[in-house]
Structure formats: structure tokens, C-alpha cells
Amino acid sequence: ERATMGKEDELPLILSPSSNRMKHHGKREDLQVIRGIAIIAVLAFHLLPAAFPNGYLGVDMFFVLSGFLMSTILCKSALTSSSILDFFVRRFKRIIPLYALMLCATTVAVVMIFTISDMDNFMTDVKWALAIAINWQIVLRKVDYWTKVFDYQVLLHAWSLGVELQYYLIVPFIVAFRTKFLGGLGRFILFVAIFIGE
């Protein structure tokens, strides 16, 4: 799911070419460092949870980084119906093919490994995954995340991708609203409201 953040952090969208934070391939070094720290934190949390109990915050770092990159891209261009549609197409072209491959490979593996009694739960999970809404499945069922981990829900990891894709669906309209209707004070109030909501 982290493959969704690739060339979106190219510097011409954010910094001038003269910035000392730009590499020859046009990516911001500071964002690459943040991405690396987040990956290490998540891996450490899964491999050594007792030693790195807060490593899951690496996922939050990815969300913040993705939000920053996407909103920056949108703020740097004129928002029209065609540009928003192009934004959606580019985002989904980067994510959906690999996501579909993951679902197919996981389904094949589950059919070969799981027992018949486990298949009903898995097929339910597949339906939510196809809707890219595993995160809402967890919320609506009011099930503790860690309970699902120990129940071997093999598609549980798709929740974060669901959050990211759902964010992509609304962020153009948030940026458009901010650009058209909010001045400096209004933008600050919106920021505070989002921060409190988090």
C-alpha cells in the first residue's frame, strides 16, 4: 500500500530546483527520510512489539505524509472538473492494479491453506476489501483491532489503504472549498477543527 506514494513527492511541485533538498531524480530527501523512519517503525513494531510498542505510529506518519503530498499537488494547480478527474485517475491507476493482484494472490493462498469453516469469514472480508472499506468493517462491527489481528484476518492490513483511498476521494473538494470560500482566518479555523477531530 505504500507504493501509492512515489513520484507524487517530486520537488518541482513544492520546492524550487535550487533547493539543497533535491536529488537528481527530483525527490525531496526530507520526505524520503520520513518515509524510511515510518517503514522502520512499523516493521519494528511487528517484529519486536515489546521493544517498540509505539511503532504503529509509523502508519500515522504515512497518512500525514500522503495528505501533505496530495494537498500540495492540488494546491499547485487550478481545480477544475477535468483536473479533479485526472487526479482520481492517476491515484487509482497507481493503487488499484496492485491492490487487485494482492486480493487475487491472497484468495488463492487462503483457498489452499484455510479450512472450509474459515472460508465464510474470509469471503465476507473479501467483499469489504473489494469495496475498499475494510476500515469501515472494523468500525461498524465495533470489533477491537487487536482482536482481529489474533483472529488471523488476512486482509486486515487493507484498512489503511481504505483510509488513504477514501481520503483521495474527498481531498480535492476540501481543497476547492478552502480555496474558494476561506480566507486566512477561515483556513486556520478549518485546520483547528480537523486537528481537534483527529
Side-chain angles (χ1 to χ4, degrees):
E1 59 209 53
R2 300 276 56 87
T4 61
M5 290 185 288
K7 293 185 178 179
E8 278 69 21
D9 54 346
E10 290 182 354
L11 281 181
L13 295 171
I14 306 171
L15 298 176
S16 65
S18 61
S19 170
N20 59 10
R21 287 184 290 177
M22 179 168 50
K23 288 186 175 182
H24 67 279
H25 53 61
K27 291 187 178 181
R28 288 184 54 169
E29 292 182 347
D30 53 347
L31 300 186
Q32 297 301 318
V33 170
I34 294 173
R35 181 177 297 162
I37 293 173
I39 292 173
I40 293 171
V42 173
L43 288 175
F45 173 69
H46 284 286
L47 296 175
L48 299 168
F52 299 96
N54 296 319
Y56 64 88
L57 294 176
V59 178
D60 292 350
M61 293 170 64
F62 273 120
F63 285 153
V64 172
L65 181 59
S66 180
F68 169 73
L69 293 173
M70 295 305 105
S71 58
T72 299
I73 289 171
L74 291 166
C75 288
K76 291 292 184 180
S77 61
L79 287 180
T80 63
S81 56
S82 60
S83 67
I84 291 175
L85 178 61
D86 180 64
F87 174 82
F88 289 149
V89 169
R90 286 187 287 121
R91 299 288 77 72
F92 279 77
K93 282 176 68 175
R94 293 181 64 84
I95 297 172
I96 297 302
L98 289 176
Y99 184 71
L101 178 62
M102 180 275 293
L103 287 180
C104 290
T106 302
T107 301
V108 171
V110 166
V111 170
M112 296 175 61
I113 297 172
F114 277 28
T115 63
I116 295 177
S117 60
D118 292 325
M119 287 300 297
D120 288 340
N121 290 333
F122 174 73
M123 293 310 298
T124 299
D125 295 341
V126 168
K127 293 175 183 178
W128 284 94
L130 288 172
I132 316 177
I134 288 288
N135 56 315
W136 284 106
Q137 179 193 26
I138 298 172
V139 171
L140 294 176
R141 288 186 174 183
K142 299 180 180 179
V143 176
D144 180 72
Y145 176 84
W146 300 111
T147 299
K148 301 298 287 184
V149 168
F150 293 113
D151 282 344
Y152 299 103
Q153 185 185 17
V154 295
L155 294 175
L156 182 63
H157 64 283
W159 76 268
S160 61
L161 186 58
V163 171
E164 192 161 354
L165 281 171
Q166 291 154 28
Y167 170 76
Y168 290 164
L169 290 175
I170 65 172
V171 66
F173 304 103
I174 294 175
V175 172
F177 177 81
R178 174 199 72 68
T179 302
K180 187 170 183 179
F181 297 107
L182 297 182
L185 179 60
R187 295 174 187 178
F188 175 75
I189 294 173
L190 177 62
F191 169 79
V192 172
I194 293 174
F195 180 80
I196 294 174
E198 288 292 322

